Amino acid sequence: MPDYLRPAITRELVPVLKQAGFTRSKPAHFLRADGDILHSIALIRSRYGGDNLMLAYRIGLLCDPLLDIDNQPAGLGDIIQNRGWYAATEKDAQQSLAAIRDNCIAHILPWLAAHNSIPAYLAAQPDPKQRSNADDLAYSIARLCDGEDPAIIRRDCTHLADPTHYWEITTHETVLMQHALALVAAIDAGVWQPLLARWATENRRHYRL
């Protein structure tokens, strides 16, 4: 990040996002816990290189034990790329950050405000074919929180915990299966609410919320 970009973010973005309840977790990354949902706004450099800036906004489920707010499936946020957002010079950065601030006020903050509940999180979910196994675990947890029959969630998590469900078991998938099994056991014991509360607390600690 150029030396002049961080002050521009501080001048243009921080006051607006702070007023909206966001905390600055990194120089160009802002987070907000809104009930059961985690909101994220991040300024990133163009994936194609150069001096272009992009704005990524996403939502995640706070009690998802595999929550990775930087990698949420389509539908749970977007990345905006505007060809006029540059950071090649200090002047470019200040002008671009002012435009990005206006975009946040007009579009991103209202979208996030409308996606601050588990029903909204569920409604924004992509087609199942576009979800990974980790996304399916989060989706199952959200459905459980939304009042779906625990027996149905147990069935789905049992499927996610089945090693034969995977073409190749990676470290990530091993952890996923462990969490799916933990949720199955918690459902069986009637203590799934404390388990989800613990996962949410761990995420709040991890993201310093």
Side-chain angles (χ1 to χ4, degrees):
M1 177 183 295
D3 291 340
Y4 52 78
L5 187 56
R6 181 167 182 166
I9 294 171
T10 301
R11 284 192 303 270
E12 301 295 344
L13 269 185
V14 168
V16 170
L17 297 184
K18 184 177 180 181
Q19 185 177 15
F22 283 82
T23 58
R24 192 176 192 172
S25 65
K26 296 178 182 178
H29 195 179
F30 301 84
L31 297 173
R32 174 179 70 185
D34 194 343
D36 298 307
I37 304 300
L38 178 63
H39 291 162
S40 168
I41 296 177
L43 188 68
I44 56 179
R45 302 298 290 269
S46 172
R47 68 188 71 179
Y48 305 111
D51 296 307
N52 291 75
L53 297 172
M54 301 191 302
L55 196 62
Y57 60 99
R58 299 180 176 90
I59 61 173
L61 187 65
L62 263 177
C63 59
D64 171 12
L66 299 176
L67 176 62
D68 179 358
I69 196 60
D70 293 323
N71 293 286
Q72 291 293 297
L76 301 185
D78 202 357
I79 298 177
I80 302 174
Q81 182 167 3
N82 186 311
R83 294 183 182 276
W85 294 349
Y86 294 104
T89 67
E90 185 174 358
K91 182 178 179 181
D92 287 339
Q94 185 156 348
Q95 292 176 342
S96 296
L97 263 297
I100 289 169
R101 174 205 62 210
D102 293 343
N103 192 287
C104 281
I105 294 171
H107 302 291
I108 294 176
L109 289 176
W111 188 90
L112 291 174
H115 293 78
N116 66 342
S117 66
I118 287 178
Y121 173 88
L122 289 170
Q125 286 287 328
D127 183 278
K129 294 180 181 178
Q130 298 179 359
R131 291 199 301 263
S132 68
N133 290 313
D135 299 331
D136 279 338
L137 178 60
Y139 181 58
S140 295
I141 293 170
R143 288 160 47 216
L144 182 61
C145 294
D146 198 44
E148 189 160 333
D149 185 350
I152 296 175
I153 305 303
R154 185 192 188 285
R155 178 202 65 196
D156 293 347
C157 288
T158 299
H159 177 68
L160 286 172
D162 182 359
T164 63
H165 177 64
Y166 302 92
W167 178 259
E168 181 180 358
I169 298 179
T170 64
T171 300
H172 177 75
E173 286 167 339
T174 298
V175 173
L176 187 156
M177 288 188 292
Q178 290 170 347
H179 284 108
L181 281 174
L183 186 53
V184 167
I187 290 172
D188 287 344
V191 294
W192 58 266
Q193 293 98 333
L195 177 63
L196 298 188
R198 176 165 64 81
W199 286 343
T201 297
E202 290 172 355
N203 278 326
R204 286 178 178 274
R205 186 180 302 117
H206 174 74
Y207 288 108
R208 293 178 291 179
L209 298 171

